[in-house]
Amino acid sequence: MQITFTTEATPGGANEDFVAAGAGWAVVLDGATPRADVDGGCVHGPAWLVRRLGGRLAQLLAEEAGQPLAEMLAEAILATAAAHSGTCDLSNPDSPSAAVAMLRTRGCAQGGVLEWLVLADSPVVLDVEGTIRAIVDDRVAHLPSYTTEAVRMARNSPGGFWVASTRPEAAYQAITGSTKMARVRRAALFSDGAARLVERFGVTDWEGLLDLLDRLGPVQLIERTRAAERAETDAERAGRRGKRYDDATVVAVSMDAAARQ
């Protein structure tokens, strides 16, 4: 399993994404930028949250090979909450939050499995014996309203959407699964800012995005995304939800030939 990755901040801004990888695992976190008129009751911001949460997840992935991914995420949320419980109002529903994507191998190459976890809008995309499978948590895309109050009520609530913030139970609402490692040809993790060629601009599909990643690599894939952002017209932007630019993180995973034999 070979892993390459890159992360790039919104032009002119601080990076609120986080990425880490090790032998047989990778994790991407995408911090949610708060609205200017929202008080999250926290002296920290999304960048602090993803560094603390991502650092703990990386430690667990490196050390606890047998622990389920959802349990790792719940433990990391608890540890992160404890790190700022004395300074911040953790009961505030607008406390800093993040989307999470995780990928991990378990077992030997021929008999092993590839496991994933997706919470909120950072997808994992797999090529499984030539069939493209996108693991997408799109619950936030189906809210009836996107006013500040409506999003606040829906966040980490049944029937709404779930993110990594202060409530460890959110980890068990993630999309998880596994498949035999031998079936997987390639895989990728994206923050939603790096999946925009599919999800925002519609210039390709998930298979095309993987093909672009194969051909260009993570750095140039993000540059292709930046070009699409720059080319977006005012009329196009008015019809789309979200920011013109976003932090972008890409992890490309290629499976060793021996793992597929």
Side-chain angles (χ1 to χ4, degrees):
M1 182 174 174
Q2 298 176 329
I3 301 173
T4 58
F5 62 82
T6 194
T7 183
E8 183 181 295
T10 298
N15 198 340
E16 295 172 345
D17 283 0
F18 173 93
V19 59
W25 59 267
V27 58
V28 168
L29 282 80
D30 180 1
T33 303
R35 301 187 186 193
D37 61 341
V38 170
D39 178 7
C42 182
V43 300
H44 309 98
W48 179 90
L49 177 82
V50 298
R51 289 194 300 267
R52 294 299 295 249
L53 186 60
R56 181 57 179 154
L57 281 172
Q59 181 182 5
L60 291 169
L61 285 162
E63 297 177 354
E64 303 292 340
Q67 189 177 9
L69 295 180
E71 290 186 9
M72 286 186 178
L73 180 55
E75 181 175 334
I77 291 172
L78 276 173
T80 302
H84 66 139
S85 61
T87 57
C88 306
D89 178 10
L90 302 190
S91 67
N92 190 315
D94 293 314
S95 188
S97 64
V100 182
M102 301 166 66
L103 200 66
R104 174 181 66 177
T105 60
R106 290 183 64 189
C108 63
Q110 288 79 7
V113 297
L114 186 70
E115 302 175 329
W116 59 82
L117 178 148
V118 172
L119 182 67
D121 55 2
S122 290
V124 170
V125 184
L126 309 173
D127 180 343
V128 182
E129 296 179 334
T131 298
I132 304 304
R133 181 173 181 184
I135 297 94
V136 179
D137 180 357
D138 63 353
R139 284 172 283 194
V140 74
H142 299 289
L143 300 181
S145 172
Y146 292 94
T147 66
T148 299
E149 184 60 27
V151 172
R152 177 182 295 122
M153 294 295 293
R155 185 183 294 110
N156 283 351
S157 297
F161 68 101
W162 297 83
V163 288
S165 182
T166 60
R167 296 178 57 184
E169 60 266 33
Y172 300 101
Q173 300 296 325
I175 300 171
T176 59
S178 64
T179 191
K180 292 181 179 179
M181 202 186 313
R183 301 180 63 213
V184 181
R185 297 177 179 178
R186 53 185 175 163
L189 299 85
F190 302 92
S191 65
D192 69 329
R196 290 183 143 202
L197 293 177
V198 176
E199 296 184 322
R200 183 177 179 88
F201 302 115
V203 299
T204 189
D205 57 12
W206 293 114
E207 183 173 14
L209 193 63
L210 286 185
D211 290 343
L212 278 173
L213 183 55
D214 284 346
R215 188 167 77 250
L216 302 176
V219 173
Q220 290 303 312
L221 179 66
I222 291 177
E223 178 50 41
R224 183 71 62 91
T225 305
R226 295 292 183 232
E229 290 170 335
R230 291 191 295 267
E232 187 179 45
T233 67
D234 291 342
E236 289 170 334
R237 190 158 59 252
R240 294 166 175 159
R241 188 171 57 84
K243 301 171 287 187
R244 179 176 185 178
Y245 296 99
D246 198 3
D247 303 332
T249 301
V250 181
V251 179
V253 179
S254 61
M255 306 304 293
D256 296 334
R260 296 188 273 106
Q261 295 176 352

